[in-house]
Amino acid sequence: MIHYYKNGQIASESYLGKYGNTLSWNGFDRNGNKTIESVTTEIDSDAKNLNEFFDSPAETKFKRYNRLYKCSGKLGSCYLYKEGKRVNGKKNGIWTTYYANGEIKKEKEY
């Protein structure tokens, strides 16, 4: 699935699984630079059967690995700014923030 800005640039690209779950997602700014990359690493559920699984999405856990990018006019390029895991949209585990040169700025655990 692809969404576009009014200027024709791609705003986001999503790849969906058989049941409509997002398996990967990339977001872009109006200049075509990637701003976010998200990959679903695990879809888990406590449902006891398929009917419960399909009828109760609240029981489903989505684990995704995210990479956030920043663009620097000074450098003339974009770089990995932050990365880490999310579980149902909330930060989980260690998130790493980077300087533009790729060195680690800080790590924080959630």
Side-chain angles (χ1 to χ4, degrees):
M1 181 168 47
I2 300 174
H3 290 98
Y4 294 90
Y5 289 110
K6 287 183 180 182
N7 69 2
Q9 287 287 348
I10 293 175
S12 67
E13 289 179 319
S14 302
Y15 296 93
L16 307 176
K18 280 184 178 180
Y19 302 109
N21 295 314
T22 302
L23 301 180
S24 68
W25 181 77
N26 292 309
F28 302 89
D29 66 15
R30 292 182 182 278
N31 296 318
N33 300 305
K34 187 184 288 189
T35 57
I36 186 169
E37 175 181 0
S38 180
V39 177
T40 301
T41 58
E42 187 177 331
I43 300 172
D44 192 14
S45 175
D46 295 330
K48 293 169 184 52
N49 58 51
L50 283 176
N51 287 335
E52 190 176 306
F53 177 77
F54 287 115
D55 292 341
S56 181
E59 305 224 5
T60 305
K61 294 178 193 133
F62 293 91
K63 295 179 182 178
R64 294 185 170 105
Y65 196 81
N66 295 286
R67 289 187 173 101
L68 305 164
Y69 297 90
K70 272 192 174 181
C71 294
S72 168
K74 206 184 269 190
L75 295 174
S77 65
C78 300
Y79 63 94
L80 177 63
Y81 169 67
K82 193 178 281 195
E83 65 180 339
K85 184 172 64 171
R86 287 185 180 266
V87 176
N88 287 352
K90 294 182 180 180
K91 290 181 179 178
N92 184 275
I94 296 174
W95 274 71
T96 306
T97 304
Y98 298 93
Y99 289 107
N101 65 5
E103 289 182 25
I104 294 174
K105 182 177 183 178
K106 72 176 180 177
E107 292 182 323
K108 185 173 179 180
E109 187 156 359
Y110 293 89

